[in-house]
């Protein structure tokens, strides 16, 4: 499975979580308020959509990195790291999304209940908070992140074996073409020499990192 397929799958899963979120919110509107349990159910739908995909992307990136460089490491260790990273990061990401959505909607929902907002307007705002464009954006950005983290985990495994590796930034072709001011200057530069924090550098960043072996100093 290549990166664009992984983006598509994650995007679809996020779309399903969006539908679930809208369903829960619309049902909550009939009760008159959104309970913490309902917000938690929404977060759970996202967690289920995201975690397993991030794990798979991370692990696959590690395996592809082995193939690209031709130096093997313990793939069980990579898998273990994929599981741990996806669990932890997935949790952080969902908490962040959840917070954004709550902030975005809490006021609208209370406006609706105090009759300052029509149901039509509220439904529109819910649709905006959980819209497919946003789902696709998150899918692209987070697939990039999982890919890069898998590559960096491979590099770290090599270093643990005493191999001197460097991580090289590869600016995505579309960002070179559009002259991305954030990622363009990082192209082909080594971590620690021009950049520190790995991609994604911005929403929809599709840059990647590759591992190169350098002679030991
Ligand atoms: Zn980029």
């Amino acid at each position: 499975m290549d990166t664009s397929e992984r983006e598509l799958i994650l995007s679809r899963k996020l779309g399903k979580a969006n539908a679930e979120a809208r369903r829960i919110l619309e049902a909550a509107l009939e009760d008159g308020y959104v309970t913490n349990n309902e917000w938690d159910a929404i977060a759970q739908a996202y967690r289920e959509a995201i975690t397993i995909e991030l794990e798979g992307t991370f692990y696959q990136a590690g395996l592809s990195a082995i193939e690209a460089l031709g130096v093997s490491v313990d793939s069980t260790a990579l898998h273990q790291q994929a599981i741990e990273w996806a669990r932890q990061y997935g949790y952080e990401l969902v908490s962040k999304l959840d917070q954004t959505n709550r902030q975005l909607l809490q006021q609208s929902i209370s406006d609706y209940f105090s009759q300052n907002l029509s149901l039509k307007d509220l439904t529109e705002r819910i649709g905006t908070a959980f819209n497919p464009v946003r789902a696709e954006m998150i899918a692209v950005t987070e697939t990039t992140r999982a890919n890069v983290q898998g590559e960096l985990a491979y590099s770290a495994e090599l270093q643990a074996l005493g191999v001197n590796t460097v991580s090289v930034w590869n600016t995505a072709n579309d960002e070179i073409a559009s002259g991305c001011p954030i990622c363009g200057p990082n192209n082909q530069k080594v971590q620690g020499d021009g950049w520190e924090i790995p991609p994604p550098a911005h929403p929809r960043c599709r840059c990647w990192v590759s591992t190169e072996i350098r002679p030991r100093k």
Side-chain angles (χ1 to χ4, degrees):
M1 207 189 303
D2 66 17
T3 300
S4 60
E5 280 174 284
R6 290 194 171 274
E7 284 175 2
L8 200 65
I9 289 170
L10 182 55
S11 176
R12 281 201 195 119
K13 286 202 165 181
L14 285 168
K16 273 192 197 162
N18 277 348
E20 177 68 4
R22 279 198 301 267
R23 194 191 61 73
I24 292 171
L25 284 174
E26 279 158 20
L29 294 181
E30 290 168 15
D31 309 340
Y33 53 89
V34 187
T35 63
N36 274 332
N37 279 349
E38 283 157 343
W39 284 117
D40 288 347
I42 291 172
Q44 185 57 26
Y46 284 99
R47 215 163 278 137
E48 275 165 22
I50 285 171
T51 310
I52 194 76
E53 293 310 317
L54 290 184
E55 177 193 320
T57 301
F58 179 117
Y59 183 49
Q60 198 53 53
L63 295 183
S64 304
I66 293 177
E67 216 170 294
L69 211 58
V71 187
S72 209
V73 298
D74 180 6
S75 63
T76 318
L78 284 180
H79 194 195
Q80 188 57 36
Q81 288 182 54
I83 293 169
E84 280 166 21
W85 179 81
R87 193 193 295 143
Q88 197 195 331
Y89 181 72
Y91 186 85
E92 281 170 31
L93 175 65
V94 170
S95 306
K96 211 169 64 183
L97 290 176
D98 189 45
Q99 227 173 19
T100 315
N101 286 334
R102 283 192 201 203
Q103 280 168 353
L104 208 68
L105 291 176
Q106 205 81 268
Q107 188 57 44
S108 307
I109 291 169
S110 56
D111 282 351
Y112 167 70
F113 290 129
S114 59
Q115 298 181 334
N116 292 322
L117 199 68
S118 72
L119 181 60
K120 185 182 161 288
D121 291 338
L122 178 59
T123 309
E124 216 172 270
R125 283 208 197 146
I126 292 173
T128 308
F130 301 102
N131 75 79
V133 175
R134 193 154 165 252
E136 196 253 356
M137 182 191 81
I138 294 165
V140 170
T141 314
E142 301 310 330
T143 298
T144 293
R145 192 184 319 274
N147 247 328
V148 168
Q149 290 300 318
E151 181 80 35
L152 294 176
Y154 168 62
S155 179
E157 285 293 313
L158 282 179
Q159 283 176 9
L161 296 171
V163 181
N164 186 28
T165 60
V166 292
S167 299
V168 180
W169 187 298
N170 298 274
T171 303
N173 286 335
D174 60 338
E175 296 183 46
I176 291 176
S178 69
C180 173
I182 303 165
C183 301
N186 293 349
N187 195 26
Q188 296 304 309
K189 284 192 181 150
V190 168
Q191 187 174 29
D193 185 18
W195 61 278
E196 297 294 337
I197 299 163
H202 52 82
R204 282 185 199 283
C205 176
R206 280 195 172 103
C207 296
W208 76 97
V209 161
S210 52
T211 305
E212 288 180 13
I213 296 175
R214 296 285 158 87
R216 254 194 267 178
K217 288 163 202 156

